[in-house]
Amino acid sequence: MGTETELKLSLAEADIPLLLKNPLLATPPKRQKLYNTYFDTPTLELTKQKVAVRERRVLRKTLLTVKTAHNSQGGISQRSEWEAPTTPGQFDFATLIDDAHLAEALSQKASELVPVFTTDFSRRIWTLNFRRATIEVALDLGSIIVAREEIKREQPICELELELKQGNPATLFALARMLSRDVRLHPADDSKAARGYALFLQQRLTPCKAETLNFQSRDTTVSVFQTIARSCIAQLQANEKGLNAPKNEEYIHQARVALRRLRTALRLFEEALPVGFAVRWSEAWRDVAQELGNARNWDVFCTEQLPLLDLDLGEHPDLVALRAFANQKRIGAQETARGCLASKSYSLNIISFCEALMSLKDNEESIRGYATRALKKRHKRFVQGAKLAHTLNAEQRHEVRIDLKKLRYTLDFFEMLYPKKRVQAFSKALESTQELLGHMNDLATAEVLMAERDPTVVDAPLAWAKGRMSAYLEMLPSALKPVIKLDAPWDK
């Protein structure tokens, strides 16, 4: 058994000539033509168990390969792998696999295995000695093919695989950064097998929310930060493709949430990180966050505020003009956000951040005490603002709302460290308060967005927003009172 450690990077086929000009790839590559058939049971039991079975044909030689669960660490995949020569159609798992339980389980399924999809691609291979590491670089170009009865579906393959043969995994990102000098190389977490199954099942994209975090109270602050940051990057990337979907509002929202969580974590762990690390990377992600935020603001205005205006103003001339203006601004904001996430600088940011993340040195401070101090600090700041919220202007109330969001994100990060019932009660109270502050912020944002009209106008929609804000201001003290007095889960 071996452990495969690799980083996958997608690229445009048109950029291959530029990539090949990189000095690191100056040595003539070894070339292969690879044809792979992936097998599973008719009910796809193997992929449900996160096992891949593949026959690979190289010239006249056939190899049987078994790979187990894909474990992603900040964009680098690690999984167990067994591979040996075979006779096509003969699945001798008992000889191939040294894990007795897995070998027996697969042997029992061998007679049921049927072809599911194939991959057909050419490969160019370089072996590089880079920063005291040995890395195999493979450039793959071809197709994933599903052919079943009268159905044929195909998806192109154009990717660079960096496989660590020896050395520090962080060097994979360092090499990716060097190879990105003239072309856009974008970290791609999905394996060919995962994409093949998705093509076979015709899986649809769905927005990805933040995953549940898993760490122990004895874990160090740096290791917990790494876990949180990786989770944020994974959520961000899981929503990238959805920005090109016809209805992309939720993808934009979740991508924005991912970056908000990441920037919150950077500030939260600033004391535990090297000097300047948090500031540098918070600023590095700022422009992307702003473009996603602008797109999200116009989405909310068009999908939530305009329908409310419709109910009260109907086809009022002022509203008709505003609707046309807002839809145009929304289209422009979405195009800008898509362009931002499709840029070379965005991809390089992910590569460089993951490299920096993996290069962090661990410390000895456990997370429990650090988490409690951070939550107390965030809670105190929020309560101080909340007590005065009804007297504040829109900008100051927005700061109170941001403090509340930071408190919620921080509690989300650390919730497993405290009694579950107390966390749930506290979170529920925060959620209802955040909802009201969110409505108020949406109205304040709506006023700002409407003020972008040239020339600036004061009309019926703007008067409507100001009137609605007055009603929310009257509700605010009673909504904040329970949260201010609520016992925090970390106090007992």
Side-chain angles (χ1 to χ4, degrees):
M1 182 189 74
T3 300
E4 180 185 69
T5 303
E6 66 179 21
L7 172 63
K8 291 183 181 293
L9 302 155
S10 65
L11 73 157
E13 186 174 348
D15 286 340
I16 290 177
L18 281 174
L19 175 68
L20 296 178
K21 290 180 180 180
N22 192 295
L24 291 169
L25 304 180
T27 305
K30 177 183 176 182
R31 293 177 180 266
Q32 289 182 335
K33 178 67 175 175
L34 303 175
Y35 185 83
N36 305 302
T37 303
Y38 289 79
F39 293 85
D40 208 325
T41 67
T43 55
L44 305 183
E45 292 180 51
L46 298 190
T47 190
K48 292 174 185 175
Q49 297 170 12
K50 298 185 178 180
V51 175
V53 172
R54 177 189 75 196
E55 279 187 355
R56 164 167 287 178
R57 194 171 72 228
V58 186
L59 298 176
R60 296 181 179 180
K61 187 177 182 180
T62 301
L63 301 172
L64 176 62
T65 308
V66 173
K67 297 185 181 184
T68 59
H70 174 101
N71 178 27
S72 180
Q73 291 290 330
I76 292 178
S77 67
Q78 293 182 314
R79 50 193 170 184
S80 299
E81 179 182 27
W82 296 264
E83 186 170 76
T86 190
T87 300
Q90 294 187 9
F91 303 105
D92 188 1
F93 297 119
T95 303
L96 176 68
I97 300 173
D98 57 8
D99 181 325
H101 177 75
L102 179 61
E104 175 61 23
L106 289 178
S107 296
Q108 291 180 5
K109 299 293 181 183
S111 61
E112 302 177 40
L113 298 183
V114 295
V116 180
F117 59 91
T118 60
T119 60
D120 186 359
F121 57 94
S122 60
R123 168 169 283 181
R124 280 173 269 193
I125 304 171
W126 298 262
T127 300
L128 305 183
N129 294 315
F130 180 79
R131 296 188 181 179
R132 291 179 290 182
T134 302
I135 300 173
E136 182 180 278
V137 180
L139 175 60
D140 295 341
L141 186 63
S143 300
I144 301 172
I145 304 163
V146 173
R148 188 167 181 168
E149 299 173 351
E150 297 181 357
I151 299 173
K152 184 171 182 179
R153 294 190 284 272
E154 194 167 334
Q155 185 181 100
I157 294 172
C158 187
E159 64 186 26
L160 202 65
E161 288 186 0
L162 310 183
E163 183 175 352
L164 186 70
K165 298 298 185 180
Q166 183 180 352
N168 187 336
T171 58
L172 293 177
F173 285 110
L175 178 57
R177 181 167 47 81
M178 298 295 287
L179 292 172
S180 296
R181 186 179 67 177
D182 297 312
V183 300
R184 181 185 186 234
L185 298 176
H186 190 66
D189 194 40
D190 286 343
S191 65
K192 294 182 183 69
R195 286 152 54 200
Y197 276 109
L199 186 63
F200 176 79
L201 295 169
Q202 290 187 289
Q203 291 177 343
R204 295 182 178 180
L205 282 173
T206 55
C208 178
K209 295 185 177 182
E211 65 181 0
T212 301
L213 298 170
N214 185 25
F215 52 82
Q216 306 297 321
S217 60
R218 62 178 178 273
D219 290 346
T220 65
T221 53
V222 171
S223 67
V224 170
F225 169 72
Q226 289 172 318
T227 297
I228 293 170
R230 287 168 182 155
S231 170
C232 295
I233 292 297
Q235 183 189 6
L236 174 64
Q237 289 208 259
N239 288 288
E240 288 170 353
K241 292 180 182 178
L243 264 69
N244 294 312
K247 293 185 178 296
N248 63 3
E249 297 91 347
E250 188 62 18
Y251 295 100
I252 289 174
H253 175 51
Q254 292 302 330
R256 184 194 190 195
V257 167
L259 279 180
R260 277 189 163 182
R261 293 178 74 243
L262 177 58
R263 298 182 79 207
T264 296
L266 283 164
R267 289 186 288 269
L268 178 66
F269 285 91
E270 185 171 4
E271 295 176 9
L273 298 172
V275 175
F277 186 98
V279 173
R280 175 195 171 191
W281 287 107
S282 184
E283 290 180 353
W285 290 113
R286 181 184 56 203
D287 290 346
V288 183
Q290 286 178 345
E291 297 301 346
L292 287 170
N294 190 42
R296 175 59 180 168
N297 287 341
W298 282 109
D299 280 345
V300 170
F301 185 77
C302 290
T303 62
E304 297 180 19
Q305 300 299 316
L306 283 181
L308 292 174
L309 278 160
D310 281 338
L311 291 175
D312 290 341
L313 301 182
E315 291 303 308
H316 191 289
D318 291 346
L319 181 55
V320 172
L322 175 61
R323 192 183 295 119
F325 171 81
N327 286 330
Q328 193 62 39
K329 294 289 288 187
R330 182 188 186 193
I331 291 170
Q334 290 190 355
E335 287 178 352
T336 301
R338 280 194 292 267
C340 185
L341 267 64
S343 68
K344 178 184 170 184
S345 60
Y346 169 73
S347 299
L348 192 56
N349 223 30
I350 292 177
I351 291 170
S352 300
F353 179 68
C354 289
E355 179 188 359
L357 198 61
M358 293 195 74
S359 301
L360 287 173
K361 293 182 180 180
D362 206 356
N363 62 352
E364 297 181 357
E365 182 181 12
S366 63
I367 191 59
R368 179 62 184 257
Y370 192 93
T372 298
R373 290 196 304 275
L375 282 164
K376 286 181 176 180
K377 182 178 179 180
R378 287 278 165 87
H379 185 238
K380 180 180 179 180
R381 179 181 171 89
F382 165 67
V383 169
Q384 287 175 338
K387 288 179 178 178
L388 302 172
H390 63 289
T391 67
L392 304 178
N393 60 32
E395 185 176 345
Q396 292 169 327
R397 284 196 303 273
H398 179 62
E399 289 301 317
V400 174
R401 177 174 174 268
I402 293 300
D403 287 337
L404 176 56
K405 271 188 170 291
K406 290 178 181 178
L407 176 60
R408 282 202 66 195
Y409 287 149
T410 304
L411 185 58
D412 286 346
F413 294 153
F414 301 138
E415 63 181 357
M416 74 291 295
L417 301 176
Y418 305 101
K420 186 175 181 180
K421 288 185 178 179
R422 290 175 60 84
V423 169
Q424 288 176 338
F426 192 79
S427 294
K428 187 175 181 180
L430 291 183
E431 185 177 349
S432 60
T433 303
Q434 186 176 336
E435 184 177 358
L436 175 60
L437 287 172
H439 289 319
M440 296 178 72
N441 183 68
D442 290 343
L443 278 174
T445 301
E447 291 187 40
V448 172
L449 296 179
M450 285 189 281
E452 291 187 21
R453 290 174 290 180
D454 189 24
T456 302
V457 294
V458 178
D459 57 3
L462 192 59
W464 174 90
K466 292 182 180 296
R468 200 172 183 89
M469 181 66 79
S470 297
Y472 281 138
L473 283 170
E474 292 180 5
M475 298 165 56
L476 190 58
S478 60
L480 288 171
K481 189 175 181 180
V483 181
I484 293 170
K485 294 185 175 182
L486 192 65
D487 289 336
W490 52 85
D491 285 340
K492 292 183 181 181

